[in-house]
Every structure is written in structure tokens, then in C-alpha cells.
Amino acid sequence: MRIRPATPAELPVLQDIERAAGAPFQGLGMPEIADDEPPALDVLEHYRRAGRCWVAAGPEGRPVAYLLAEPVDGALHIEQVSVHPRAARRGVGRALLAHAADRAREEGLTSLTLTTFTDVPWNAPYYERLGFRPLPEEDLTPGLRAIRATEAAHGLDRWPRVCMRAPL
């Protein structure tokens, strides 16, 4: 599995990965998440141009997963990690997060942060196994508070969510 920056031509593939990765939410009674549209091409291009859109490429070089990130308050915030179900349970997400951690260290950032669903097995419990810990509300930075407010405005708080941090 090779981790590398996404190319402009691959951005529609990332949308396909997002749709496929969202499908399992249907079985958890979260159809709004399963049916949610992936990030728009201009949003993906923004992350790509900033050098913060990485793909995990399969043996044929085609992306099977991707990660979007941006610096927030001294940490690299993981905006999205999506793995196509055909590539799941093979360490692909872990490899993308390790790559993001390496990039964050190179930039002098102190941790990785993310927000996720607490009760979805491949969300908060998975990230805890990788060293992320829930952040109490009083420890949220201004940037993380803004991210959580945006998520709430989009209806994501219909299901329990948590902000998590992994020190580097």
C-alpha cells in the first residue's frame, strides 16, 4: 500500500470511495450519514492544493482510501478518513493516519485531532485503539469548538460525537 498525494484526476474517485465507505452506516440506523454527499470536487481540490489530501493506492495504483487534514490550533486536524469497504480491515486507515502524523511532526505540530461518532465501531473505538483519546469539552481549542459547532449545524449531533486527540 503506497500513501501519496492525490492527483486532480483522482478527485472523483475519492467521491466514489466516500459513497462506498458511507454505505455501512445504513445498517446502524444512520441513513442520513449513509446517503450524505461526499465532499465537492472544489473542496477536495482545496485540500489537494494545500498538500493535505493523501490517498492509499492499491497494487494497480488506484486509490482505495483517502485522508483530508488541515492545521487547527497547533494540531493536524483529520477532517476525513475514508476507506473503500473492499480495502477495509487491512491497515489502510492506520497507514493513512501514520502518514498524516509524520507530516504533522515535520511541520512541528503537536498532535492529531479529529471528531467522530462515539457509538460506531469503526469510529471512536477504532481511533482509541490507535492512541486517540476523547477530549473533554473544557479542553477543546477555539478551532475545535468551531468545527464542532459547524458539525452540529449540519445535524451530525443527532448521534453522539466526540473530539479526540493523539499526541505526537
Side-chain angles (χ1 to χ4, degrees), residues 46-71:
H46 165 78
Y47 283 99
R48 190 196 69 75
R49 282 185 184 224
R52 300 189 189 290
C53 178
W54 299 291
V55 299
E60 71 292 338
R62 184 175 168 88
V64 297
Y66 75 97
L67 183 147
L68 305 175
E70 65 182 337

Side-chain angles (χ1 to χ4, degrees), residues 6-158:
T7 68
E10 292 171 330
L11 299 182
V13 174
L14 304 189
Q15 290 178 314
D16 293 340
I17 291 169
E18 182 71 18
R19 286 184 189 97
F25 284 92
Q26 192 76 36
L28 296 178
M30 300 170 78
E32 295 87 347
I33 303 303
D35 297 336
D36 192 36
E37 280 299 308
L41 291 175
D42 64 326
V43 171
L44 293 171
E45 176 62 8
H46 165 78
Y47 283 99
R48 190 196 69 75
R49 282 185 184 224
R52 300 189 189 290
C53 178
W54 299 291
V55 299
E60 71 292 338
R62 184 175 168 88
V64 297
Y66 75 97
L67 183 147
L68 305 175
E70 65 182 337
V72 174
D73 299 333
L76 186 63
H77 184 73
I78 307 302
E79 180 61 34
Q80 184 67 39
V81 180
S82 291
V83 178
H84 196 286
R86 289 190 302 258
R89 300 185 186 272
R90 297 182 188 157
V92 177
R94 180 186 301 260
L96 280 165
L97 287 164
H99 182 83
D102 289 345
R103 300 296 75 75
R105 279 187 206 93
E106 289 172 4
E107 294 180 30
L109 300 173
T110 61
S111 60
L112 296 180
T113 60
L114 55 82
T115 59
T116 193
F117 295 110
T118 60
D119 299 334
V120 175
W122 59 89
N123 279 196
Y126 169 75
Y127 294 118
E128 282 195 77
R129 290 192 302 274
L130 298 181
F132 284 82
R133 295 294 171 252
L135 280 172
E137 185 71 26
E138 62 271 12
D139 291 346
L140 297 184
T141 65
L144 292 175
R145 287 182 193 281
I147 289 168
R148 288 290 295 121
T150 299
E151 291 176 348
H154 285 106
L156 291 179
D157 281 1
R158 178 174 169 198

